[in-house]
Structure formats: structure tokens, C-alpha cells
Amino acid sequence: MIAIGNFFFRYRNLLFIVLYAALFIPSPPIFSAEGFGPHYYLWPIIIGLVITISGQAIRGATIGLAYIIRGGKGGKVYAEQLVTSGIFNHCRNPLYVGNILMLAGVGILSNSLLYLTVFIPLFLFIYQAIVLAEEAFLRAKFGPVYDAYTQRVNRWIPDLRGIGRTFSGMHFKWKRWILKEHTTQAIWLLGIILILLFNYDALTGGDDALRNRMLWISISILLVLYVLVRFLKKTGRMRDE
């Protein structure tokens, strides 16, 4: 599993592209008019958005409170220090938990039974392998300190006890959240927009012209915001606090 994890860690960014593309593969629905009535589409929209937004919220809280530099060097697992504060005090892999919720949420939003039964389990297997590879590295580098951390904090399931003290005792760095997450957020929001507009004709009354106008308006707003953040970052007008 560690060898598998090291392999997928190297190509983890490509993995997200594949998983996002899989959202648009034709699939039997999770929810249908036959089982849930004429307004069946409200179920995947509401449930999917709640779950995927929760995932982004977890990522945002993690990055804004105590960011962990574990991006890898030369395609290999790497960490400068062992971060155990912020959300890492409640879960050892909150960024990955956020990713899982984000993708599971858009899978439900897309109403894709194939995505939930094939791609999400595959994603979970790959992430488990990546985490085991990271743990092997961290245990070798930080030794007993890391072992003590693993005994205290869950690998996957967040322990929310004391979460209030975590937020009240730390300053949320919203600029860091925006600077680190703007690309992820742009791609995520684009996926949500495409799913809503192309999977659910009821939202635009079956009016293709209205759908296309909403699509281009949404894309234009996203693009402007993305370019603005990139500009502020490149020129140093917005800095990580």
C-alpha cells in the first residue's frame, strides 16, 4: 500500500482531473422522478451542495488556521514540520477529508450512481494508500512525537471536541485561504455550475438560451475573480498574513 501511495502521490493532481471528468460520464441516476416525484432534482442538489460545501469549509478552516506544507519534493512525500494545531488537532488529514467530501458532494449533485459506486470507492482506496505513504515518511522523520500524535488524533474521522477553543484561540487568515485555494475553488465552482445548468433543465425552464446566458455570465464572473486574485498575488498586493 505504501508503494501504491507513493505512486499516486506523484500523480495526485492528475487524479483530480480524471475524477472531475468522470462526473460527466453517463450514469443511472441516484434520484429519479419515479422514486422521488416530479421535484426529484431537489434531492441531489440540496444534499450534494451541503456535502460539497462542507468539504470546502473544512479545507478553508484548515488552511486559514494552520497550513501544513506537505506538497512534496520531486514528486515524493515531504513535510517541513509536524503541524498539530488548528484543525490538525482534530483530524490528521483534514485537507483530504475536505477533498473527499467535495468530490462525494459533486457526485451526488451530478446524480451519478456510477460515480458514487465506482469512482468514490476508488478515490478512497487511493487516498488511503497516499496517507499510509505519508505516515511512513512522518513516522521515520518525527519518530515518537508523531506516534504520540497518532494516538491522540484520528486519521480520518474528525473529533470536534474543543473545536470552539480552536477557533477562538487562533486567528483565521482569510488572505492565505484565498491565495492557496483560489485555483481549487475556481475549478470546483465551475464544475458545480456545469452540473446545475446541464443536468437540471428544470432550473432554467428548459430554455437553452437562458441556460447559455447564465453559463457565460457565471464563467465570466469566475474568470474575472480568478484573474484578479492572480494579479494581486503576483504583484504582492495580497500577501499571506
Side-chain angles (χ1 to χ4, degrees), residues 13-146:
N13 293 331
L14 178 61
L15 174 64
F16 272 94
I17 296 174
V18 173
L19 287 169
Y20 251 82
L23 287 168
F24 301 95
I25 297 175
S27 164
I30 306 169
F31 303 93
S32 65
E34 291 77 12
F36 293 85
H39 299 294
Y40 75 93
Y41 56 88
L42 294 177
W43 289 92
I45 291 175
I46 294 172
I47 296 173
L49 286 178
V50 167
I51 293 175
T52 194
I53 291 172
S54 297
Q56 178 56 241
I58 291 173
R59 284 189 59 87
T62 302
I63 293 171
L65 291 178
Y67 185 61
I68 184 170
I69 301 175
R70 198 187 296 174
K73 282 190 174 182
K76 298 180 180 180
V77 177
Y78 173 79
E80 291 184 355
Q81 58 183 330
L82 182 63
V83 178
T84 61
S85 59
I87 305 302
F88 291 98
N89 189 43
H90 302 273
C91 176
R92 301 204 311 261
N93 299 284
L95 292 173
Y96 290 165
V97 171
N99 289 345
I100 291 168
L101 291 175
M102 286 174 67
L103 286 174
V106 292
I108 295 173
L109 181 65
S110 67
N111 203 18
S112 173
L113 184 63
L114 174 68
Y115 198 83
L116 282 192
T117 58
V118 176
F119 288 97
I120 289 299
L122 176 62
F123 183 50
L124 292 175
F125 169 78
I126 291 172
Y127 253 17
Q128 177 70 5
I130 289 175
V131 165
L132 291 177
E134 290 184 345
E135 288 181 351
F137 171 86
L138 294 172
R139 185 166 286 108
K141 182 168 184 176
F142 299 107
V145 175
Y146 180 71

